[in-house]
Amino acid sequence: MAVFNLNINGKNVSVDVDADTPLLWVLRDELNLVGTKYGCGIASCGACTVHLNNVAIRSCVTTVSSAESAAITTIEGLGEDKLNPVQEAWKELDVPQCGYCQAGQIMTATSFLNKNPNPNKDEIRNAMNGNLCRCASYNRIEKAVALAAEKMSKA
Amino acid sequence: MKTRKKMTFSRRNFIKTSALAGGGILIGFNLVTACKEAAKPPVDISKLNFQDFNAFIKIAENGYVTIFSPNPEIGQGVKTSMPMIIAEELDVPWEHVTVAQGDLDTENFERQVAGGSQSIRFGWNALRQTGATAKQMLVNAAALTWNVDPATCSTSDGIITNAKGESLHYGEVVNTAATLDVPEDVQLKSIEDFKIIGKDATNVDMDKIITGKPLFGLDYKTEGMKYVCVARPPAFGKKLKSFDDSDARLVKGVSEVVQFGDKVAVLANNTWAAMKGKQALKIKWVSDAKLENSELHDVELLKILEGKDVVVKREDGNVTKAFAEADTILDRTYEAPFLPHNCMEPMNFYAHVSKEKVHLVGPIQTPAGTANRVAKLIERDVEDIHLEMTRMGGGFGRRLYGDFVMEAAEISNLTKQPVKVIYSREDDMTAGIYRPASKYRIRASIKNGEITGYHLIEAAINGNMWAGIASYFPAGAINNYKVEAGNYRSNITTGAWRAPYTNFLAFAEQSFFDELAEELEKDPIQLRLELLGKVPNQTDDPNTYSSGRMSGVIKLAAEKSNWGKTENEIYQGISAYFSHNTHVAEVADIRMVNGEPQLEKVTVAVDCGIVVNPTGAKNQIEGGVLDGIGHAMYGDYSFEEGIPQDSNFDTYRLIRMKETPVVETHFVESNIAPTGLGEPGLPPAGGAVANALKAATGKRLLKQPLMQSLRKQMSDFKV
Ligand code: FES
Ligand code: FES
């Protein structure tokens, strides 16, 4: 075991875990940040998506040791005081069904819109294609990303 | 004056009230008992404790209402729609209602959850009566305060008004109401007075979901709890011979390794250590039963389709004679593979077996049955079992089975500590309870341009369709009609998967009717409507199949999809099916782009009676349709030597956003009691796509996954 210093949602924390522990399990088991979900463990579903220096990554295949010097944002840190435009759009369009995949969807959408604030339909569909939703709430996710872009452009 | 429905029923046996220490009233009722169609009142009311109730309405002195729902959420929206029905009859503004689950904040009343996800269909009357009873108590209290006859008082938006125009809000009378008897005679609103039902209400867990709050089974933890991964036999037909856990015990964080039955559990201080520990186990497995291949299943199922060992599910007229006299016979065989459920949240459960009690927490659809099985397994009184349900990251039928709860209880019982069993995705997919592989052979005889005979045989692994299914369309429309079914017993575990049986039967039947229409040179919608016209209509029972309501959804789907009037490059396919008490028709639109079919849109018409929460209802239909399309097009699961061939999403294909069409949902306007929406959108979807693919490509696909079949038929087609 070793001590790792992490910066999560603007706070510095240290954890004592094995170096090969995926960031996902550090967040969930050690830090009680359970909003980030486990779905596959092999970077195939997107449920575990978090931001590393504002870029969406799969925390299930990112070791804690490789996340040390980065700013990590999880769903809990996204709209701490007030919902961000993506979360607002999700709420407005009543997107979730079971809800399990939605934190990952929101994290992917947020980082995508930061890079491309004015996407067209195909760009949205491409960007979100890596995030599985077993309940198939895809129609609403697609609409919500477009709505979030609109909200961001007005803000 | 509008007609009001007067109902007398014994509420006393279902409802109990209590004044709350800090002011306000708590009304307890048993949703599960109340929701059974022919509910028997529980024993002696004086012996009834609040523990026997599982749902509560709390009305505070400020008039705000909290509804404690016992219903776990699988994703079907019942946690929102059921409280809406109570609030409607209680006559409070929806904005004044909070829905809570599992966090009843009084020390006096321990919450014991006893019921599974009861559908709207069972809940409708009970929930309305409960809300109306609570309202009547408040009215009685106000009448007492004013010393007037309760019948002269009326309510609106949480305010009671008397004949003189004086008014009191609910909060002002709750303390008086708590001292009154529960009224037995209450009136339900008339449907045209509904203010909440029929309006969009956002999912009540929305804020928690989008901000990542703990909600799901996997999120639950307690101090000192061990994380557990379990090694299970890698093939159906194998059992444990011996194992060496010396390496597993060396993994940092692993605290214990125990065997139970044919499984080995690794207990650790975190999930990662438990996963690594499990991988470090060296286990010898031996076969103790046949190791089956999917090819064997194919061969055996085809034998059944020849008529071997089948039982008759329904028979009208004389099918043999009709076929003997036919001008033409259409004979087709449809095939579908096994399917895993793949709930997004893998199976998991928490258990803490102690001397005092057995505490179980997690996502399960059948808590009462599961509690009984756990009690038996670890030899405890069922009264010792306290089972709490969490929100579920999908169910699709998988969480009806409590196998993972048994595992958690057994491990905790053996090791005497709180444990949380966690399935990796690989565990979840390979230790499944699968949708059985199945095949249908359908034949029809045609004479003088009329369908004279219809004969369907079902061949499925382990189980067969319920008798009722044989009486849906086209039963009654064709004089000589026969449905038979047979199964092959396999040691691969199979079970309910979203819309059991009909999830594939609908595809077979609705593809077949498309071919029949072609054969008879009729429009496929016209043919269906003609046949439905021959079946006597029944509309009074909302839960039964009705040819009239079926025709209604087909016509609505035709109208909304511009059937037959679309632009040139759009090819359409229709499919309609009745399942889980709801009638649904779907039209799929495919556009050919550079010689490749692209699914653009599915127009859906639904008759589910009254739509309680339109946004939630549409969400269910959208999900069901896309789920049906995804599995029909891509879903494929097979076994070699008893070993499941896919174990994660890298090789197992689920539908993704780029493949999804737009789903446009329309509801038939109705005043009939509501039916469920979790399943019925799914069964027609595969047929609509297959029929549209035929129109677009000229290829008739009989075998799922459709994209694999299409690829075989169109070598130049890239998927
Ligand atoms: S859990 Fe990380 S991508 Fe699926
Ligand atoms: S909402 Fe259930 S998996 Fe996406």
Side-chain angles (χ1 to χ4, degrees):
Chain A
M1 310 270 260
V3 172
F4 295 92
N5 298 309
L6 302 171
N7 181 288
I8 300 177
N9 300 329
K11 291 183 202 86
N12 291 321
V13 292
S14 54
V15 290
D16 189 4
V17 295
D18 269 357
D20 68 346
T21 309
L23 179 59
L24 168 68
W25 299 115
V26 173
L27 294 170
R28 292 188 55 87
D29 294 352
E30 310 299 323
L31 300 170
N32 263 331
L33 294 168
V34 295
T36 305
K37 298 300 190 223
Y38 166 74
C40 69
I42 58 163
S44 287
C45 77
C48 65
T49 306
V50 299
H51 297 172
L52 225 59
N53 297 328
N54 292 323
V55 177
I57 56 109
R58 304 282 161 101
S59 66
C60 68
V61 292
T62 306
T63 59
V64 61
S65 51
S66 68
E68 254 206 311
S69 50
I72 301 164
T73 310
T74 70
I75 185 77
E76 290 91 346
L78 208 56
E80 263 171 324
D81 310 319
K82 127 181 203 313
L83 299 179
N84 86 354
V86 178
Q87 289 165 312
E88 272 175 20
W90 246 248
K91 183 170 179 171
E92 210 169 303
L93 296 179
D94 195 28
V95 174
Q97 288 185 35
C98 82
Y100 193 80
C101 72
Q102 301 295 346
Q105 307 276 3
I106 290 170
M107 294 311 284
T108 302
T110 301
S111 106
F112 164 64
L113 290 175
N114 285 338
K115 268 184 298 184
N116 182 352
N118 206 350
N120 64 29
K121 183 181 156 85
D122 283 343
E123 287 168 338
I124 293 175
R125 285 165 75 92
N126 265 323
M128 300 307 296
N129 204 52
N131 283 69
L132 283 177
C133 174
R134 175 64 182 84
C135 301
S137 61
Y138 295 118
N139 273 200
R140 292 190 185 198
I141 294 171
E142 190 180 326
K143 279 191 209 137
V145 177
L147 178 63
E150 209 181 297
K151 284 177 183 287
M152 286 162 75
S153 74
K154 280 187 199 140
Chain B
M1 177 102 185
K2 280 170 191 155
T3 48
R4 288 205 176 199
K5 210 170 166 186
K6 192 152 181 167
M7 282 212 174
T8 308
F9 55 95
S10 183
R11 281 292 89 190
R12 283 181 160 215
N13 295 318
F14 294 114
I15 293 179
K16 194 176 165 98
T17 65
S18 166
L20 286 170
I25 183 172
L26 187 70
I27 302 163
F29 61 103
N30 193 316
L31 195 55
V32 179
T33 325
C35 286
K36 296 241 172 73
E37 275 178 309
K40 281 206 190 65
V43 277
D44 177 1
I45 182 81
S46 63
K47 296 212 185 85
L48 215 55
N49 297 313
F50 267 99
Q51 280 89 328
D52 298 311
F53 296 98
N54 54 34
F56 300 88
I57 304 168
K58 186 173 97 182
I59 309 173
E61 284 179 328
N62 63 3
Y64 278 66
V65 177
T66 311
I67 296 175
F68 297 92
S69 164
N71 275 81
E73 185 63 275
I74 317 172
Q76 299 193 349
V78 289
K79 194 171 166 186
T80 307
S81 55
M82 295 182 100
M84 285 172 78
I85 301 171
I86 295 177
E88 180 70 67
E89 290 291 347
L90 185 55
D91 209 7
V92 285
W94 182 242
E95 302 74 53
H96 293 183
V97 178
T98 309
V99 179
Q101 188 194 340
D103 46 4
L104 185 59
D105 55 356
T106 82
E107 286 175 9
N108 303 325
F109 312 119
E110 189 178 351
R111 175 175 159 279
Q112 191 198 344
V113 169
S117 76
Q118 297 288 327
S119 67
I120 287 288
R121 177 160 78 92
F122 288 130
W124 176 247
N125 279 321
L127 293 165
R128 289 184 72 192
Q129 287 164 0
T130 302
T133 304
K135 181 183 82 177
Q136 192 59 46
M137 292 181 68
L138 299 165
V139 169
N140 291 354
L144 194 70
T145 310
W146 288 317
N147 201 10
V148 300
D149 178 359
T152 62
C153 303
S154 63
T155 61
S156 176
D157 285 343
I159 293 167
I160 307 155
T161 310
N162 67 17
K164 282 189 258 166
E166 296 167 321
S167 61
L168 286 166
H169 74 70
Y170 284 3
E172 292 174 287
V173 297
V174 285
N175 295 330
T176 310
T179 65
L180 303 179
D181 281 347
V182 177
E184 298 215 5
D185 200 5
V186 304
Q187 287 183 326
L188 299 181
K189 277 189 178 177
S190 35
I191 287 165
E192 54 268 36
D193 291 337
F194 284 170
K195 292 178 191 162
I196 295 172
I197 291 170
K199 302 255 160 53
D200 287 346
T202 305
N203 189 329
V204 292
D205 280 335
M206 178 63 74
D207 286 339
K208 289 184 184 157
I209 292 170
I210 59 178
T211 58
K213 297 287 178 305
L215 269 179
F216 298 92
L218 208 62
D219 304 341
Y220 184 84
K221 56 174 90 165
T222 59
E223 199 54 42
M225 170 191 100
K226 295 293 174 194
Y227 296 79
V228 183
C229 286
V230 176
R232 302 173 186 82
F236 290 89
K238 287 207 172 168
K239 64 174 188 183
L240 181 73
K241 184 165 179 243
S242 61
F243 69 98
D244 168 2
D245 61 8
S246 45
D247 287 354
R249 287 178 185 276
L250 292 178
V251 172
K252 270 181 244 148
V254 168
S255 60
E256 208 172 334
V257 178
V258 289
Q259 181 197 341
F260 64 109
D262 278 313
K263 302 170 185 176
V264 182
V266 177
L267 287 72
N269 299 333
N270 58 61
T271 313
W272 185 239
M275 285 179 165
K276 283 209 293 187
K278 181 186 144 186
Q279 258 156 28
L281 289 170
K282 296 193 202 80
I283 307 184
K284 288 209 175 80
W285 309 96
V286 286
S287 44
D288 69 333
K290 192 150 78 177
L291 301 175
E292 298 175 14
N293 290 338
S294 289
E295 289 82 55
L296 163 91
H297 298 138
D298 281 340
V299 171
E300 293 297 333
L301 293 180
L302 288 172
K303 280 187 205 159
I304 295 168
L305 295 187
E306 295 303 319
K308 182 191 163 220
D309 295 335
V310 291
V311 295
V312 176
K313 297 274 174 179
R314 175 166 168 152
E315 187 169 14
D316 306 340
N318 187 338
V319 168
T320 315
K321 187 159 170 270
F323 280 91
E325 292 169 356
D327 299 334
T328 325
I329 290 173
L330 191 65
D331 184 346
R332 293 286 180 270
T333 296
Y334 303 88
E335 304 176 75
F338 288 92
L339 291 178
H341 295 86
N342 282 329
C343 298
M344 207 68 218
E345 178 192 15
M347 296 308 109
N348 66 87
F349 227 82
Y350 170 88
H352 186 195
V353 179
S354 65
K355 261 207 215 82
E356 298 73 43
K357 66 171 188 177
V358 178
H359 190 206
L360 305 169
V361 185
I364 180 80
Q365 285 172 266
T366 49
T370 301
N372 281 327
R373 287 175 62 201
V374 167
K376 210 174 269 169
L377 177 78
I378 59 171
E379 298 177 343
R380 293 288 293 252
D381 287 343
V382 77
E383 289 75 47
D384 291 350
I385 316 278
H386 295 249
L387 194 151
E388 277 181 52
M389 288 179 281
T390 58
R391 191 178 176 91
M392 305 181 200
F396 312 109
R398 181 62 181 88
R399 289 191 227 269
L400 293 169
Y401 306 97
D403 48 328
F404 44 91
V405 190
M406 287 328 122
E407 289 179 347
E410 198 166 359
I411 296 164
S412 177
N413 194 36
L414 279 172
T415 62
K416 306 287 173 239
Q417 32 186 345
V419 301
K420 169 76 154 292
V421 167
I422 295 169
Y423 282 51
S424 66
R425 174 56 58 195
E426 289 80 4
D427 297 337
D428 189 273
M429 214 181 287
T430 59
I433 297 183
Y434 304 93
R435 191 277 296 268
S438 61
K439 299 189 196 300
Y440 289 91
R441 182 179 178 195
I442 312 181
R443 295 188 307 141
S445 58
I446 298 168
K447 192 170 172 68
N448 302 328
E450 293 288 328
I451 306 167
T452 54
Y454 185 86
H455 184 193
L456 179 144
I457 305 177
E458 173 187 77
I461 301 293
N462 293 337
N464 286 115
M465 66 163 95
W466 308 303
I469 294 177
S471 294
Y472 302 168
F473 181 84
I478 300 167
N479 293 341
N480 305 297
Y481 173 90
K482 191 173 186 179
V483 173
E484 293 175 298
N487 61 66
Y488 175 77
R489 287 279 153 198
S490 162
N491 57 25
I492 288 162
T493 48
T494 58
W497 192 98
R498 197 175 194 175
Y501 302 108
T502 58
N503 59 45
F504 184 63
L505 171 57
F507 165 83
E509 176 198 294
Q510 291 296 306
S511 300
F512 189 77
F513 274 90
D514 224 53
E515 276 204 76
L516 268 179
E518 224 171 282
E519 188 67 39
L520 296 167
E521 295 176 9
K522 283 188 177 164
D523 174 81
I525 286 190
Q526 200 46 45
L527 174 68
R528 283 170 175 81
L529 293 177
E530 276 175 30
L531 289 167
L532 285 163
K534 295 183 187 171
V535 186
N537 188 21
Q538 334 79 13
T539 42
D540 34 349
D541 180 353
N543 297 321
T544 51
Y545 164 70
S546 149
S547 53
R549 292 175 85 183
M550 188 58 103
S551 301
V553 290
I554 292 174
K555 285 181 196 155
L556 184 61
E559 177 204 324
K560 298 292 182 186
S561 67
N562 278 325
W563 178 259
K565 296 184 214 117
T566 51
E567 38 177 312
N568 278 341
E569 310 86 69
I570 299 281
Y571 299 90
Q572 295 187 305
I574 172 91
S575 171
Y577 207 75
F578 169 80
S579 66
H580 287 72
N581 314 102
T582 297
H583 299 78
V584 181
E586 298 174 15
V587 172
D589 288 6
I590 284 178
R591 183 189 293 273
M592 291 302 282
V593 181
N594 304 327
E596 286 174 34
Q598 255 177 33
L599 195 49
E600 281 209 336
K601 185 170 121 184
V602 182
T603 308
V604 190
V606 183
D607 185 348
C608 59
I610 292 167
V611 180
V612 177
N613 180 12
T615 173
K618 279 188 186 160
N619 216 352
Q620 282 310 298
I621 292 295
E622 288 161 16
V625 170
L626 295 180
D627 188 7
I629 288 171
H631 282 94
M633 288 174 77
Y634 310 109
D636 193 13
Y637 208 72
S638 61
F639 299 86
E640 296 281 342
E641 303 278 300
I643 302 169
Q645 293 302 290
D646 295 281
S647 61
N648 209 324
F649 299 133
D650 49 348
T651 59
Y652 186 82
R653 186 97 150 65
L654 283 171
I655 193 167
R656 290 178 184 265
M657 187 180 280
K658 276 205 271 190
E659 293 133 3
T660 55
V662 171
V663 179
E664 192 187 284
T665 310
H666 304 271
F667 293 100
V668 171
E669 274 196 46
S670 170
N671 275 344
I672 303 174
T675 52
L677 284 163
E679 267 106 354
L682 187 143
V689 172
N691 293 340
L693 277 170
K694 168 66 174 53
T697 65
K699 309 288 178 201
R700 173 58 63 185
L701 307 173
L702 305 176
K703 188 173 182 174
Q704 291 186 0
L706 298 177
M707 290 328 250
Q708 226 174 66
S709 302
L710 189 63
R711 220 174 313 154
K712 275 195 192 128
Q713 293 198 28
M714 298 171 80
S715 48
D716 54 341
F717 172 66
K718 334 178 212 65
V719 178

